[in-house]
Amino acid sequence: GAVVSQHPSWVICKSGTSVKIECRSLDFQATTMFWYRQFPKQSLMLMATSNEGSKATYEQGVEKDKFLINHASLTLSTLTVTSAHPEDSSFYICSARAGLTGTSVEVDTQYFGPGTRLTVL
Amino acid sequence: AQRVTQPEKLLSVFKGAPVELKCNYSYSGSPELFWYVQYSRQRLQLLLRHISRESIKGFTADLNKGETSFHLKKPFAQEEDSAMYYCALDVQAAGNKLTFGGGTRVLVKP
């Protein structure tokens, strides 16, 4: 099936530092990528929508200056958590929405990355 | 605004028994609905979407616009079906964002 990778899979950082998380669609082009946050035993909460070459659209309550999103190409989006604090510790998940149907891809379907666990000390 | 409700947080069934996961949505337009599954320590995977009308791993789901529901069913549950299941609504008018339900944990006992 369609593969979406995230790097790193986990990261521990000190309070005040910035952390960058990469999301790549490996075998298809993504018209749109999405960033979610998932708390333990809870559902996914959408943070922002990222389109290649344009500014990300943030959900209500998500600080755009805190969570910087860059969508450099049709296969890569990055999320940077700036000046991280312990309350930013969470599981961050990206998804990529296929733009064209392929052998293992359904168009207009979101495929999810494995997630990145961020722990801020 | 659109909303997806999964009323059951936990469903516990015995192997071989039928299982039905309820999903109700609220959306005034034409909905596009999905079921995603998350096995332990794995990523979210697409299980099925209503447009495809396929049966994946023995699961089926029918969109009922009158009842605004998209319940997931399997006639004979297997232990490997134990997982977290999420119903999701794709709203094109909202930039194709997925709105997720709260999820239902399915536990299939031997």
Side-chain angles (χ1 to χ4, degrees), chain B residues 10-21 36-40 47 56-60 72-86 104-110:
Chain B
L10 173 66
L11 274 180
S12 182
V13 300
F14 285 102
K15 177 182 172 182
V19 62
E20 180 179 30
L21 289 74
Y36 282 88
V37 60
Q38 189 172 30
Y39 300 103
S40 180
L47 184 61
I56 307 294
K57 298 184 179 182
F59 286 96
T60 59
L72 182 69
K73 301 175 186 178
K74 184 168 182 176
F76 307 104
Q78 303 300 312
E79 289 181 69
E80 55 265 29
D81 295 327
S82 296
M84 196 74 182
Y85 292 80
Y86 294 97
T104 298
R105 181 168 297 282
V106 172
L107 176 62
V108 181
K109 297 177 287 188

Side-chain angles (χ1 to χ4, degrees), chain A residues 12-110:
Chain A
I12 302 173
C13 69
K14 291 182 179 180
S15 187
T17 60
S18 294
V19 174
K20 180 186 282 189
I21 303 169
E22 287 188 353
C23 176
R24 292 181 186 272
S25 56
L26 298 185
D27 50 0
F28 65 97
Q29 291 187 332
T31 52
T32 308
M33 288 184 170
F34 301 86
W35 287 95
Y36 297 85
R37 192 168 173 176
Q38 187 177 33
F39 292 100
K41 299 189 177 182
Q42 292 189 29
S43 187
L44 283 75
M45 182 187 76
L46 180 66
M47 297 175 65
T49 302
S50 171
N51 290 292
E52 186 260 343
S54 62
K55 289 184 179 180
T57 303
Y58 291 81
E59 294 301 299
Q60 194 171 14
V62 178
E63 300 175 57
K64 62 180 181 181
D65 294 330
K66 173 78 170 173
F67 299 99
L68 299 179
I69 291 172
N70 182 269
H71 198 142
S73 72
L74 286 172
T75 60
L76 172 65
S77 176
T78 60
L79 168 69
T80 302
V81 183
T82 62
S83 186
H85 289 284
E87 57 266 29
D88 299 324
S89 298
S90 191
F91 197 55
Y92 292 88
I93 301 172
C94 75
S95 72
R97 190 167 184 272
L100 294 171
T101 297
T103 53
S104 62
V105 173
E106 285 193 54
V107 69
D108 297 341
T109 294
Q110 284 192 35

